[in-house]
Amino acid sequence: EAGARIGLSYAGEVLHKRVMPLAQEIGCDFVEQCDVTQDEQIDAVFEKAVQHFGKVDVLIHAVAFATREDLGGRFVDISREGFKNTLDISAYSLIALAKRAEPLMKEGGSIMCLTYYASEKVMPKYNAMAVAKAALETITRYLAVELGPQNIRVNAISAGPIKTLSAAGIPGFRTMLKLSEKVTPLRALVTQDDVGDLALFLASDAAKMITGETIHIDAG
């Protein structure tokens, strides 16, 4: 609606069936598979993006993964392999994507990622993902400093609880959702549209002096 040409990527066939209806709804003709743990797949999707778009102005990092075992249970029981996978997919991938996007943002650009309040305070059962989100916010600040001279801004959006596919994997999420509506100052839940509005602002010239920030959108 704001005039952007949008490209989408997905990891694996399971998510393909969820992404395609969205692509059709918004008239997106660029949909590519991209497993962010595979450098060759990241390279391939950016090469195709150059051929398709010519350049990239905005990059949205909306990637996170942790096994159910590493979300529930005791924090000290997080597996070594699960920890590494969670950090690789949920945090390091922002570095890998920003590295490929930088040369395509010749006129500057905006990079965004999605984080959560568990990066700052202990949230029961969030475990490995909380560590990943804390790492993601630190990466956001470091990238903001490094890419700033190229007029590339990097920010993190920290949204309140929203009923999404990812949220469904968090133990006790329904209870959190009910309580949030009762205790937030605005007595309301954040919607996907609310987050979209913030992302649109950060993508626009109206946010040209905002970088390295974690911006909370959580009804207070």
Side-chain angles (χ1 to χ4, degrees), residues 21-183:
L22 171 61
Q24 293 166 3
E25 181 184 338
I26 64 176
C28 171
D29 58 358
F30 183 94
V31 183
E32 298 290 339
Q33 182 169 341
C34 183
D35 180 344
V36 294
T37 66
Q38 304 296 321
D39 285 327
E40 59 271 19
Q41 287 197 32
I42 299 175
D43 289 333
V45 80
F46 273 94
E47 287 170 9
K48 291 177 180 177
V50 173
Q51 296 168 9
H52 191 85
F53 298 110
K55 64 172 183 173
V56 172
D57 296 308
V58 180
L59 173 67
I60 308 290
H61 175 279
V63 185
F65 175 79
T67 65
R68 287 185 180 274
E69 293 79 13
D70 294 317
L71 281 177
R74 300 187 70 216
F75 185 77
V76 293
D77 290 333
I78 296 172
S79 68
R80 186 183 298 274
E81 193 62 28
F83 184 88
K84 289 192 292 185
N85 287 339
T86 300
L87 269 289
D88 185 10
I89 296 170
S90 309
Y92 177 78
S93 57
L94 177 59
I95 301 173
L97 295 174
K99 180 178 180 179
R100 274 75 171 188
E102 180 184 8
L104 307 182
M105 294 181 161
K106 300 187 188 312
E107 301 169 15
S110 177
I111 297 175
M112 286 168 252
C113 64
L114 301 176
T115 185
Y116 182 57
Y117 188 58
S119 64
E120 304 172 43
K121 303 290 183 181
V122 173
M123 298 294 291
K125 311 298 183 184
Y126 214 66
N127 294 2
M129 187 57 68
V131 180
K133 291 303 188 184
L136 188 68
E137 292 177 20
T138 300
I139 290 167
T140 295
R141 292 187 286 272
Y142 272 77
L143 287 174
V145 170
E146 189 142 292
L147 303 182
Q150 286 77 261
N151 196 31
I152 298 172
R153 298 177 290 106
V154 190
N155 292 289
I157 295 174
S158 184
I162 300 174
K163 190 176 181 181
T164 64
L165 177 65
S166 297
I170 303 171
F173 179 76
R174 290 184 180 179
T175 302
M176 187 192 305
L177 208 61
K178 290 179 181 178
L179 287 173
S180 292
E181 195 167 15
K182 294 179 180 178
V183 303

